[in-house]
Amino acid sequence: MPVKVSVVVPVYNPGAHIEDCIASLLRQSLPPDAYEVIFVDDGSTDGTPALLDALAAADPRVTVLHQENSGWSGKPRNVGVAASRGEYVMFVDNDDHLGDEALERMYDYGVANGADVVVGKMAGKNRGVPVELFRRNHPRATVENAPLIDSLTPHKMFRRAFLDDIGLRFPEGRRRLEDHVFVTEAYLRASNVSVLSDYVCYYHVRRDDSSNAGFQRFDPGGYFKNLREALDVVERYTEPGPLRDRLLRRWLRVEMVERMRGRRLLALPADYRRELFEEIHHVVVERFGPGVAAGLQPTQRVVAALIAADRYDDVEAFAEWEAGVALTAAPEHVTWRDGTLRVGFTAEYACGGEPMTFAADTAGTRPGDPPGELPAAIAWVGADTLARFGAATADLLLRERTGAAQYFQPVEFTREKVPVGDDGGRVRLVLRATAAVDPATLTRDGLWDAVVRVKLGGWTKECRLGPAPRTHRPAPPAGVVGGHVILPYWTAPHANLALDVDRATHRLGLGVLAPDQVTAAGDRLRVPLPLHVPDNGTEVSLRLTSSGTAHTVPATLSPHGSGALLDAVLPLGGLRRGTWRVALGVPGPRRLALPFALRAGAGGVRVVRAPGSGPPRRLVCGARRRLGTLLRRVATRLRARAGRG
């Protein structure tokens, strides 16, 4: 079979961090003879070369090339491309890993859409990745109709013939931003770019020790010299005008302005901050016309103007003010409705721990350019934020806690200006939203955190949804919906909303069921359960076990009051005398033990408490101690009151 995909992995001293990368590459769903993996060892001095050689000797999919250290990833990638045999080339870094179906899905999507470049959805572990780009699939994306320019890392699939036809290769040597130069030219010269957003293809990982090559502290002079080369590519393949300004704005925003804002700036050593500022100032003055900064968000425009004016002290002062601005999101309700989890919340910005307020008399006015003086610039940001409140948006994302995969959920929201004080001279800007969480979008078991994302004025910020007020606790019951068992819960101690997907067992609340609530009449078994199911119910199973013998019978869960009713037909003829434990078979391979058993005899079956299903002794003892303490406190208070009488 012809090779469909060649995976090229530059390698330099990854140590144990390469293990997840290797494992993910070897378990790809693409047939083994349809892809190859080329590791290019760039002069590693640890045990990695021997590990890779042994892997290549054992697996025909793997090739290892060794070379002297070149200083960065550009040359190893080029060497891998030259050795590749695939229709497409996929670049992976040795710290990262792929989703199990990444190569198959990206290849099929690229072929179906005739793509020269395929961009797969990314998840960032301890590091940022593009969010808006992956809101939906883009089968035919361009730099004009999609935010492609937000994703300039090389971790994409490129058609090999396309790279050869235009002679595109990575800049080599000890340098930075070689991927920006390569990917930008690919975007601008490709006949089509396809963005696959409905499956997490690439997991971008930042090591706990921050020793990935891309995260080491850099020399500002060399860094911004290499950045100018990426700007050269944009100018080479675009005409002056709005599109060029929008593309150049990406580097102004991400590589310059954002480094000079808020906590990110203040976390740097003071001397390094100023060194960065000086290099950024030079690039801004040399390369960016007024149209580039004009499209920035208000806060970014303030910082860009201060950089251009060479006012470092004001940049630092503005960062100190911005560091106090944070997003807050408060849950209002979390309820099930026909298989969908409805999550209501409000969101607004806070400053210094208090709700952020805005002068009401500026409503409806659109300020012009940011003023030069810092206090006036801060007031200008407030006026612009209020003026653009009609464009503010709120989103709810579910983010998997281990792998950081995230998915947007449908949201409906309203915008409210809430007066502050008796005179109404100031207002709070509040977004009131309801999200409809579809469990079918949660592609893997685990813990998923609810994250609110708000675009308002000059900020795009995220925060966890919480803390929940005590009136909202406990959370709603678990749901058996969308092929999953979903348990909403509030985290401890912060009371943020999270979902346990297909992992919860003891916390589902099934232990409260008493045997006298279960009905066994003839061969019919009916059990009320504290679970939510869709209006049309769901198919499950019952597993009955006794002394090594097991029976599995079909069952249904249908809505019943505030929970669900389990209904099953028992195989009375197959149940020998004795006690049969009962477990509920839910979607997936797991079973949930129920707190009752069936005792079979000549007259049929009767319901009894399951052996060992009572509360653990330690819980009983703890409850008794707490009750005793409470009674002693009540007695003490009564005696004190009697004494005062």
Side-chain angles (χ1 to χ4, degrees):
M1 176 184 290
V3 176
K4 294 180 177 179
V5 182
S6 298
V7 183
V8 174
V9 187
V11 178
Y12 181 71
N13 286 353
H17 295 285
I18 199 174
E19 294 175 1
D20 287 342
C21 176
I22 293 173
S24 76
L25 293 174
L26 298 186
R27 64 172 180 259
Q28 288 296 299
S29 61
L30 203 63
D33 57 352
Y35 74 101
E36 63 178 352
V37 181
I38 303 172
F39 292 98
V40 183
D41 174 48
D42 197 39
S44 294
T45 57
D46 61 2
T48 303
L51 170 69
L52 295 179
D53 287 340
L55 179 64
D59 194 316
R61 291 172 291 183
V62 177
T63 299
V64 181
L65 305 175
H66 299 278
Q67 65 180 33
E68 293 184 2
N69 183 256
S70 66
W72 207 250
S73 301
K75 184 174 181 179
R77 291 192 187 113
N78 290 341
V79 169
V81 171
S84 66
R85 298 177 293 130
E87 181 182 352
Y88 282 87
V89 178
M90 174 82 188
F91 297 107
V92 177
D93 282 352
N94 60 202
D95 307 287
D96 304 331
H97 58 276
L98 299 180
D100 292 353
E101 301 173 20
L103 297 184
E104 181 177 16
R105 286 177 179 252
M106 292 177 71
Y107 175 83
D108 289 346
Y109 196 63
V111 170
N113 293 292
D116 289 331
V117 184
V118 184
V119 184
K121 182 181 178 76
M122 303 176 73
K125 185 62 176 175
N126 298 324
R127 62 163 298 160
V129 295
V131 175
E132 294 300 326
L133 176 62
F134 301 118
R135 186 180 284 270
R136 63 176 180 85
N137 286 343
H138 297 270
R140 301 197 65 82
T142 69
V143 293
E144 296 179 73
N145 67 20
L148 286 176
I149 204 67
D150 288 346
S151 180
L152 293 181
T153 62
H155 314 116
K156 301 162 178 60
M157 199 174 276
F158 300 85
R159 192 165 59 86
R160 169 68 191 274
F162 163 68
L163 299 180
D164 291 343
D165 289 346
I166 68 172
L168 182 59
R169 294 295 186 269
F170 288 91
E172 297 183 0
R174 190 175 297 275
R175 51 161 297 128
R176 291 275 184 163
L177 303 180
E178 79 293 338
D179 47 358
H180 287 207
V181 175
F182 180 92
V183 175
T184 300
E185 183 167 346
Y187 285 160
L188 294 174
R189 302 185 69 183
S191 61
N192 185 38
V193 179
S194 294
V195 180
L196 178 66
S197 301
D198 56 9
Y199 178 81
V200 178
C201 299
Y202 197 93
Y203 290 86
H204 213 357
V205 181
R206 181 178 185 176
R207 296 184 195 173
D208 292 337
D209 59 5
S210 299
S211 59
N212 316 59
F215 277 99
Q216 296 168 9
R217 177 167 161 170
F218 60 82
D219 165 51
Y223 185 90
F224 289 103
K225 176 177 180 291
N226 295 148
L227 183 145
R228 288 175 172 89
E229 297 174 36
L231 306 183
D232 292 340
V233 172
V234 173
E235 293 178 353
R236 186 178 310 130
Y237 294 105
T238 63
E239 297 296 326
L243 175 61
R244 176 184 287 184
D245 287 345
R246 181 155 61 84
L247 297 179
L248 294 178
R249 191 175 302 134
R250 184 266 173 215
W251 283 274
L252 174 60
R253 171 173 52 87
V254 177
E255 306 298 336
M256 303 179 200
V257 168
E258 289 301 316
R259 295 183 188 276
M260 296 284 107
R261 290 182 68 187
R263 291 187 177 90
R264 184 173 181 183
L265 174 67
L266 301 177
L268 299 174
D271 58 338
Y272 188 57
R273 292 182 214 166
R274 189 172 287 276
E275 186 180 1
L276 269 177
F277 174 85
E278 291 173 356
E279 292 295 334
I280 290 172
H281 167 72
H282 292 321
V283 179
V284 169
V285 172
E286 291 172 12
R287 301 298 296 262
F288 299 136
V292 179
L296 293 172
Q297 295 297 327
T299 47
Q300 296 168 340
R301 289 180 64 188
V302 170
V303 177
L306 294 174
I307 292 171
D310 201 16
R311 293 167 56 185
Y312 172 76
D313 291 341
D314 284 340
V315 166
E316 197 171 73
F318 190 76
E320 291 172 352
W321 174 74
E322 266 204 291
V325 177
L327 176 65
T328 62
E332 291 198 316
H333 61 82
V334 181
T335 56
W336 287 106
R337 186 184 302 171
D338 190 21
T340 298
L341 189 65
R342 308 284 293 185
V343 180
F345 62 91
T346 60
E348 64 180 310
Y349 284 129
C351 187
E354 297 294 329
M356 204 168 185
T357 64
F358 302 83
D361 58 6
T362 62
T365 63
R366 290 298 300 270
D369 293 332
E373 296 303 316
L374 191 59
I378 292 174
W380 176 86
V381 168
D384 189 273
T385 301
L386 182 60
R388 298 199 298 172
F389 185 47
T393 60
D395 280 296
L396 182 79
L397 296 94
L398 292 180
R399 182 174 296 156
E400 200 265 320
R401 196 173 296 173
T402 301
Q406 60 186 12
Y407 294 93
F408 285 97
Q409 303 300 309
V411 171
E412 295 179 351
F413 62 87
T414 58
R415 307 175 183 93
E416 300 178 7
K417 296 177 182 178
V418 181
V420 177
D422 295 335
D423 61 356
R426 299 189 70 81
V427 294
R428 292 163 49 197
L429 303 182
V430 178
L431 294 163
R432 191 175 303 276
T434 299
V437 175
D438 180 4
T441 63
L442 307 180
T443 56
R444 55 193 292 179
D445 63 356
L447 303 180
W448 294 75
D449 294 314
V451 178
V452 174
R453 178 181 175 89
V454 166
K455 291 183 179 180
L456 172 58
W459 298 282
T460 299
K461 290 184 178 290
E462 296 180 351
C463 71
R464 295 280 297 277
L465 178 53
R470 293 193 178 277
T471 54
H472 289 56
R473 307 176 203 173
V480 182
V481 291
H484 297 287
V485 178
I486 310 289
L487 175 66
Y489 72 99
W490 304 109
T491 63
H494 301 296
N496 295 320
L497 180 64
L499 304 182
D500 187 320
V501 178
D502 293 336
R503 289 185 18 165
T505 53
H506 302 298
R507 294 190 297 164
L508 294 181
L510 303 183
V512 302
L513 184 67
D516 59 8
Q517 296 175 278
V518 181
T519 302
D523 63 353
R524 293 297 289 274
L525 181 72
R526 291 183 173 89
V527 187
L529 294 174
L531 299 172
H532 173 82
V533 294
D535 289 349
N536 60 356
T538 188
E539 301 295 323
V540 291
S541 64
L542 275 187
R543 184 172 175 82
L544 311 174
T545 57
S546 177
S547 302
T549 302
H551 294 283
T552 300
V553 297
T556 60
L557 282 173
S558 56
H560 178 72
S562 60
L565 182 67
L566 173 69
D567 195 340
V569 177
L570 299 174
L572 293 183
L575 299 182
R576 67 190 181 194
R577 290 177 179 269
T579 300
W580 292 80
R581 292 179 179 272
V582 184
L584 176 64
V586 293
R590 299 179 309 106
R591 296 184 181 90
L592 306 175
L594 297 178
F596 66 89
L598 300 177
R599 186 159 294 164
V605 299
R606 60 189 179 91
V607 181
V608 298
R609 182 170 291 280
S613 63
R617 180 178 178 83
R618 61 182 176 80
L619 296 181
V620 174
C621 293
R624 287 174 176 170
R625 285 195 299 271
R626 290 190 293 273
L627 179 59
T629 300
L630 177 61
L631 291 175
R632 286 192 295 273
R633 288 176 179 171
V634 171
T636 300
R637 291 173 182 171
L638 290 175
R639 285 195 296 270
R641 289 178 182 176
R644 288 195 297 270

